[in-house]
Amino acid sequence: AGPEDQEPVKRRLGVMGGTFDPIHHGHLVAASEVASLFHLDEVVFVPTGQPWQKDSHGVSPAEDRYLMTVIATASNPQFSVSRIDIDRGGPTYTVDTLRELRNEHPDADLFFITGADALEQIFSWRNAQELFHQAHFIGVTRPGHTLSDPGLPEGGVSLVEVPALSISSTDCRERVARGEPVWYLVPDGVVRYIDKRKLYKGAA
Ligand code: ATP
Ligand code: MG
């Protein structure tokens, strides 16, 4: 039998959703580590639309968060950025993100990468069962967050430890607001973009 008779090898597509306000090296290390461990062909970063968890705090404009994500990922041929959640408008639900990505990539297996903290919230949502069929979920550990009582569906979810980076976007925003450096916490181009656009200057 020739190669045309064999099952086509499915593309393995990682999906990393986030507010990315700003994107930082914790996000990038997590994506890189999961791509390696799970033999992913590509990781798509998907900045959220107006995030419902955070709308009281005020989130930076979507275009700024999108551009910082592009700047941070541009040099990695395995990384790309999708505008689907930003262009859909309104709050982002993971179930919509994954539906749309499955339509765009019908031939790919999806691996949704998320911090273990966020994983608990995702599966408390109403479409938990559908989510579970849409993608394999990979929860990455981050400092200060342990999965106490995950209540996650059996199978379909993997928990992995990534080299612990004690970086959060909240801390980066607060540092900028206090006039402290974020060099080496976020990529150089993102430091310069934050400065150029005067992001996070007011309230942290
Ligand atoms: P904020 O402090 O504003 O909540 P954040 O640092 O958690 O921001 P998000 O954009 O909310 O960043 O995170 C996107 C995804 O990346 C989430 O699933 C989150 O759990 C995960 N994540 C964030 N920081 C890290 C880190 N240092 N290591 C591993 N995963 C991380
Ligand atoms: Mg967060």
Side-chain angles (χ1 to χ4, degrees):
E4 65 276 8
D5 298 324
Q6 291 165 9
E7 281 264 309
V9 177
K10 284 192 148 192
R11 269 175 61 75
R12 295 166 70 84
L13 187 67
V15 181
M16 178 107 193
T19 315
F20 303 131
D21 192 20
I23 189 165
H24 54 68
H25 279 129
H27 299 131
L28 296 163
V29 168
S32 164
E33 189 70 3
V34 172
S36 163
L37 285 171
F38 288 82
H39 310 289
L40 304 184
D41 297 295
E42 182 182 345
V43 177
V44 188
F45 289 71
V46 190
T48 55
Q50 185 59 42
W52 58 268
Q53 303 99 324
K54 301 185 181 182
D55 53 9
S56 54
H57 298 45
V59 170
S60 299
E63 290 305 324
D64 285 327
R65 295 184 290 106
Y66 170 75
L67 284 174
M68 288 190 283
T69 308
V70 169
I71 289 165
T73 55
S75 63
N76 187 330
Q78 274 196 314
F79 288 175
S80 64
V81 187
S82 168
R83 298 185 55 93
I84 52 173
D85 285 349
I86 287 172
D87 289 345
R88 189 185 313 110
T92 292
Y93 296 96
T94 303
V95 69
D96 298 328
T97 309
L98 292 175
R99 263 182 213 154
E100 214 160 312
L101 283 171
R102 281 174 66 95
N103 287 339
E104 274 181 30
H105 307 270
D107 53 337
D109 281 333
L110 301 189
F111 295 78
F112 191 83
I113 306 163
T114 182
D117 54 320
L119 202 57
E120 285 169 316
Q121 290 177 30
I122 287 172
F123 282 98
S124 69
W125 301 343
R126 56 202 158 104
N127 296 102
Q129 263 324 105
E130 178 175 354
L131 284 170
F132 179 52
H133 291 291
Q134 285 172 323
H136 186 90
F137 280 75
I138 301 167
V140 299
T141 58
R142 56 188 296 203
H145 294 92
T146 47
L147 273 190
S148 42
D149 177 20
L152 303 173
E154 299 257 328
V157 178
S158 311
L159 294 176
V160 303
E161 284 190 26
V162 301
L165 280 176
S166 156
I167 306 174
S168 73
S169 299
T170 301
D171 182 53
C172 292
R173 293 192 300 273
E174 291 173 353
R175 284 173 155 273
V176 174
R178 290 193 301 258
E180 293 168 9
V182 289
W183 288 109
Y184 315 114
L185 299 176
V186 306
D188 293 0
V190 173
V191 180
R192 298 203 181 281
Y193 187 89
I194 290 169
D195 188 49
K196 166 179 155 179
R197 295 278 297 142
K198 302 281 175 272
L199 298 177
Y200 318 128
K201 283 299 184 198

